[in-house]
Amino acid sequence: MIEFRSVSKQFPGGTVAVNDFSLVIPSRKTTVLVGSSGSGKTTILRMINRMIDPTSGSIEIDGEDISTLQPVKLRRRIGYVMQNSGLLPHFSVIDNVATVPILSGMPKKKAREQSLALLDTVGLDRSLAHRYPSQLSGGQQQRVGVARGLAANPNILLMDEPFGAVDPIVRAELQAELIRLQRELDKTVVFVTHDIDEAFLLGDQVVILETGGHIVQVGSPTEILSDPANDFVASFIGADKGKRALTIRKTPRGEILVDSEGRAAGVLVPAQDGADR
Amino acid sequence: MNWIANNLDQVGQLTLAHLAIALPPIVLSFVISVPIGWLANRLRWSRGILRWSSGALLTLCVLLYAIPSFPLFVALPSLIGTGLRDPVNVVVGLTLYGIALMVRTSADGLAAVDPDVRESATAVGFSGWSRFWRVELPLSAPVLLAGLRVVAVSTVSLTTVGAVLGISSLGTLFTDGFQRNIPAEIATGIVVTMAIALIIDAILVLVGRLLLPWVRATSRAGGPRTSRSVKQAVVT
Amino acid sequence: MNLLLDAIRWVFDPANYGGPNGIDTRSGEHLALSGLVLLIAVVIAVPFGYFIGHTGHGRGIIVPLSGGVRALPTLGLLILVALNVGIGVVAPVVALVVLAIPSILAGAYSGFEAIDRRVIDAARAVGMTEWQILIRVEIPLGLPLLIGGLRSASLQVIATATLADYVSGGGLGHFLFLGLQTNNYPEMLGGSIVVIVLALASEGLFGLLQRLVVPAGVAARQPKDVRLRPVRSQTALG
């Protein structure tokens, strides 16, 4: 469990990125921080592995105040995946994945073997192991990024808009892959995005943020959709007049759902178990 | 051709003398410049007086670089207390030039490391020291190598200027050939000097290929930011 | 330190001015020689550089060749030419032009190559002819790097022109060689100081020019961020 207690961050220039932010991030669930740029979502994420230290307030991981921990050690036990993969261009794929275990003192040979297995986990062919990142496609690089994030077998995985720079088709693949991985691995995932669809797709808990890290609403996708906290949320998630404002229209052949523009969006079918995530 | 055949011994000795003067500055300026360049790069991100001192440091390098070699060789003895015809003058002078060029190159090379990569290295848990050795230094290595190649070639070529002061090197073939009116002797000096410069350059390129295998892989694949600054450093 | 003071005194001694071997006359010669050399080098190198930069042809030959020229010891070339054409000003001009060409050439074509390809594509797409692209897009945008090349060349030429007097080509080298022969340290150092001042003046002048020729729109867009600054042109020196 990660807990933020009245955390604020003011940058040297005077900008207040995050103001009095409190949140409990449950273990073994995916929490998505979603907001537009300037909402402080990346700053919040980076405070978890002490890439940024808060100006005031405290952050605890499983009851331990992280300001008492050494940043470098802390980072090595938290997985981190960022946009544009952040791979080291001068390390081969396998060495990129093995970076953290080797930094933590694992023998190279063992770290590499283990990394090969991780390539399987993220759905990459082992033949790519000795290529350099620049020789891979964007989607492949992002998979390597995920494998590197998992390499130290961390309990926590931080993901900073990891799929922001890939095309929509590859993004959908990677999202599906992440859902599958999370089902297998059961990590505490903290995911940052500005894409509300991605947030609803991946998040067990979705946190909608406004400027300065102000929380507008926290809840499961179902809770947020069924009961938007205010007009801002309603318009942000598109429940007021966007593609999620669906109405039933009767046609000669049956009923269909149409969005606010009158375009067909789907049909109604009987509910299945577990539809409420 | 006859002249070379009759004077092989002398050419050989002068070649060795030339290398003895030219090689130390190449190595020394590299070893001295990288830490200074690192410092200059660190300082230019700080504020106030520190930032100013970084600018001053780099400007000092430009000024140093602007001092013509021949006058410098002439002036150095009175500053460091060596004799007028001591080879050390040339070694020190050429080292200063190498530093003037390499400090700037090192600072630029280190600054050209993609900030995203630097961030991600920090995020996965590189400590400051290991991040420098394993990420920043290797990633700026192509730029450093390009700078070192320029230093090497110009150092080998400038070593000849010492001959005007009577310091033995392949440049002696120029001054001697001039006084005795033997064009073949001068041509020999030019060819051997160029050959040494190009051989050292080729060795550096080779070492670069062995130590930096990702550079070629990357440039074949279309390459990220580093490769462009490398190309620029090599061509300009 | 005393020597340095003596040298400075030598520089400001009125007795050393006027006449064919005055500091003023010799400085004038030095600058005239350097200016002439730069002019010839520009006339030769810029069209070549623009051709390579615009078409991309000939790069494979010219680049290694100009790299090789950098390894050429200027002193050797100077003396070799002097033996063939006789002592005087011709040999220094030839040797220094050869010295100056690589920097200017590189400045010319790398100035073109540094332009964002999309800008050229866009120019072509809106219907500019190749000439119009050259004159309205490539030359103005490439100018800062060309001036950068000229700046390096000028520094090298002014510095290396001190060797000209070795073959009686005139210039400030006179004081260095004369001082060497007569063991006159103040004269050697004083001559050096004058050359250094000229070299720094050239650096300052071209540095200023480099800023002035950046097109207004580009200057506004130019990042203050040093990370994004192109690597400064580097060249062998003389």
Side-chain angles (χ1 to χ4, degrees):
Chain A
M1 188 175 82
I2 306 170
E3 188 170 0
F4 284 80
R5 290 191 184 156
S6 330
V7 171
S8 297
K9 176 65 191 180
Q10 181 172 17
F11 284 107
T15 337
V16 179
V18 177
N19 190 19
D20 196 23
F21 176 82
S22 296
L23 178 72
V24 173
I25 295 172
S27 295
R28 302 179 193 287
K29 298 273 190 232
T30 302
T31 296
V32 180
L33 306 175
V34 59
S36 6
S37 54
S39 61
K41 53 189 191 299
T42 298
T43 307
I44 292 168
L45 185 83
R46 292 169 149 238
M47 288 198 276
I48 298 173
N49 71 348
R50 293 197 62 188
M51 293 283 282
I52 297 175
D53 281 325
T55 329
S56 65
S58 69
I59 302 164
E60 290 179 0
I61 295 179
D62 297 330
E64 200 176 11
D65 186 344
I66 62 166
S67 66
T68 62
L69 303 174
Q70 246 197 28
V72 168
K73 280 193 183 146
L74 178 71
R75 287 173 200 149
R76 287 181 191 172
R77 64 183 178 94
I78 296 179
Y80 195 95
V81 185
M82 64 200 285
Q83 194 174 3
N84 296 321
S85 79
L87 298 175
L88 303 178
H90 59 311
F91 283 13
S92 63
V93 164
I94 194 76
D95 285 339
N96 260 295
V97 177
T99 307
V100 184
I102 290 175
L103 278 176
S104 308
M106 187 186 282
K108 276 195 178 172
K109 200 169 164 230
K110 192 175 165 217
R112 289 206 177 113
E113 274 167 23
Q114 180 199 304
S115 303
L116 273 180
L118 268 172
L119 291 186
D120 302 339
T121 312
V122 299
L124 276 177
D125 197 279
R126 288 188 177 205
S127 65
L128 299 177
H130 294 287
R131 298 224 186 143
Y132 289 102
S134 57
Q135 297 169 308
L136 304 183
S137 71
Q140 288 170 330
Q141 289 183 19
Q142 219 51 55
R143 284 172 195 259
V144 178
V146 174
R148 182 176 69 174
L150 295 172
N153 197 20
N155 291 323
I156 300 172
L157 190 59
L158 307 180
M159 307 184 86
D160 185 5
E161 303 211 28
F163 311 143
V166 293
D167 67 65
I169 296 173
V170 176
R171 190 183 311 154
E173 271 174 30
L174 291 170
Q175 288 165 342
E177 194 80 9
L178 181 65
I179 292 170
R180 176 185 68 75
L181 268 177
Q182 173 63 350
R183 217 177 287 140
E184 281 174 24
L185 301 172
D186 243 8
K187 305 284 183 196
T188 305
V189 177
V190 187
F191 193 106
V192 160
T193 182
H194 58 259
D195 177 356
I196 188 70
D197 294 325
E198 188 168 63
F200 281 167
L201 178 67
L202 301 174
D204 299 308
Q205 170 176 270
V206 173
V207 182
I208 299 179
L209 296 168
E210 248 183 346
T211 314
H214 172 65
I215 297 180
V216 195
Q217 189 167 9
V218 184
S220 70
T222 316
E223 285 162 4
I224 294 175
L225 257 179
S226 57
D227 183 20
N230 57 25
D231 291 349
F232 171 78
V233 176
S235 98
F236 190 65
I237 64 180
D240 53 349
K241 53 184 175 186
K243 58 178 179 175
R244 284 200 177 80
L246 304 179
T247 48
I248 298 173
R249 180 186 292 171
K250 291 196 166 63
T251 72
R253 303 220 180 135
E255 294 178 336
I256 62 163
L257 293 170
V258 295
D259 67 14
S260 61
E261 303 280 311
R263 286 197 196 86
V267 291
L268 274 176
V269 293
Q272 287 172 328
D273 285 346
D276 186 349
R277 296 207 301 134
Chain B
M1 278 297 116
N2 266 341
W3 184 88
I4 303 177
N6 296 333
N7 294 278
L8 261 185
D9 265 5
Q10 194 201 351
V11 173
Q13 273 166 16
L14 290 175
T15 303
L16 289 180
H18 196 94
L19 286 174
I21 294 174
L23 291 180
I26 298 173
V27 177
L28 283 174
S29 61
F30 185 77
V31 174
I32 295 170
S33 300
V34 173
I36 301 179
W38 175 83
L39 190 70
N41 186 42
R42 281 300 287 262
L43 292 180
R44 75 175 150 199
W45 293 103
S46 48
R47 285 148 189 283
I49 185 81
L50 286 177
R51 189 192 169 107
W52 179 87
S53 66
S54 158
L57 191 65
L58 294 177
T59 309
L60 193 73
C61 289
V62 175
L63 295 188
L64 190 62
Y65 190 59
I67 299 175
S69 59
F70 172 44
L72 181 67
F73 297 158
V74 173
L76 264 176
S78 57
L79 299 176
I80 59 176
T82 42
L84 189 56
R85 291 184 167 70
D86 194 331
V88 171
N89 301 332
V90 180
V91 173
V92 173
L94 292 177
T95 305
L96 287 176
Y97 282 131
I99 291 173
L101 216 140
M102 275 313 287
V103 165
R104 183 138 209 142
T105 309
S106 310
D108 286 345
L110 288 167
V113 173
D114 189 337
D116 285 348
V117 172
R118 194 176 312 179
E119 285 271 285
S120 101
T122 312
V124 301
F126 279 96
S127 61
W129 188 244
S130 67
R131 194 184 70 177
F132 174 76
W133 285 106
R134 311 220 6 226
V135 180
E136 291 170 23
L137 189 64
L139 285 179
S140 56
V143 178
L144 296 182
L145 180 68
L148 185 62
R149 289 176 60 193
V150 175
V151 170
V153 169
S154 72
T155 301
V156 169
S157 165
L158 281 179
T159 300
T160 57
V161 174
V164 175
L165 294 164
I167 297 165
S168 275
S169 71
L170 287 167
T172 307
L173 298 177
F174 304 155
T175 49
D176 189 60
F178 184 49
Q179 276 146 25
R180 294 160 58 197
N181 203 2
I182 310 174
E185 183 173 0
I186 299 165
T188 306
I190 293 178
V191 170
V192 179
T193 307
M194 286 182 79
I196 292 177
L198 297 179
I199 288 170
I200 292 179
D201 191 50
I203 291 172
L204 289 175
V205 171
L206 206 67
V207 169
R209 281 202 187 157
L210 290 176
L211 292 182
L212 317 170
W214 80 91
V215 175
R216 296 182 77 205
T218 302
S219 58
R220 265 202 303 270
R225 289 181 217 176
T226 37
S227 64
R228 193 177 135 193
S229 46
V230 174
K231 268 185 228 148
Q232 233 170 28
V234 175
V235 295
T236 56
Chain C
M1 255 3 232
N2 258 341
L3 270 174
L4 206 58
L5 287 179
D6 286 345
I8 293 169
R9 211 166 289 137
W10 178 89
V11 173
F12 288 104
D13 186 349
N16 294 326
Y17 286 80
N21 287 328
I23 296 176
D24 47 348
T25 319
R26 287 289 177 171
S27 299
E29 279 177 22
H30 203 96
L31 286 177
L33 173 64
S34 305
L36 178 69
V37 164
L38 284 178
L39 196 67
I40 297 174
V42 163
V43 168
I44 299 173
V46 171
F48 257 108
Y50 279 173
F51 176 79
I52 297 169
H54 182 77
T55 62
H57 292 311
R59 202 175 186 286
I61 304 166
I62 296 295
V63 174
L65 197 70
S66 71
V69 169
R70 289 210 166 124
L72 187 70
T74 306
L75 178 66
L77 183 64
L78 172 74
I79 292 174
L80 192 63
V81 177
L83 277 193
N84 284 301
V85 302
I87 58 171
V89 81
V90 178
V93 169
V94 173
L96 293 174
V97 165
V98 171
L99 177 75
I101 282 178
S103 300
I104 299 176
L105 191 69
Y109 70 72
S110 61
F112 279 19
E113 285 171 355
I115 301 170
D116 191 335
R117 281 298 105 189
R118 286 171 300 183
V119 172
I120 313 268
D121 274 355
R124 203 164 277 138
V126 300
M128 285 197 191
T129 64
E130 292 305 302
W131 270 112
Q132 285 168 329
I133 292 175
L134 184 75
I135 288 164
R136 297 196 183 171
V137 182
E138 289 180 315
I139 291 181
L141 288 179
L143 213 48
L145 277 181
L146 175 66
I147 303 289
L150 259 171
R151 176 181 177 173
S152 314
S154 170
L155 183 63
Q156 287 173 287
V157 168
I158 290 176
T160 315
T162 43
L163 295 175
D165 209 48
Y166 191 72
V167 295
S168 308
L172 289 164
H174 167 78
F175 303 115
L176 298 169
F177 290 111
L178 194 69
L180 263 178
Q181 280 158 19
T182 57
N183 264 334
N184 184 344
Y185 272 90
E187 186 170 15
M188 281 188 252
L189 265 180
S192 306
I193 291 171
V194 179
V195 182
I196 291 167
V197 168
L198 290 187
L200 292 180
S202 145
E203 270 294 287
L205 195 70
F206 279 103
L208 196 69
L209 201 58
Q210 220 172 346
R211 284 186 191 194
L212 290 179
V213 299
V214 176
V218 180
R221 225 159 20 85
Q222 233 171 22
K224 299 261 187 310
D225 194 332
V226 283
R227 284 177 298 188
L228 302 176
R229 233 179 24 189
V231 175
R232 179 180 169 258
S233 15
Q234 300 144 343
T235 43
L237 41 127

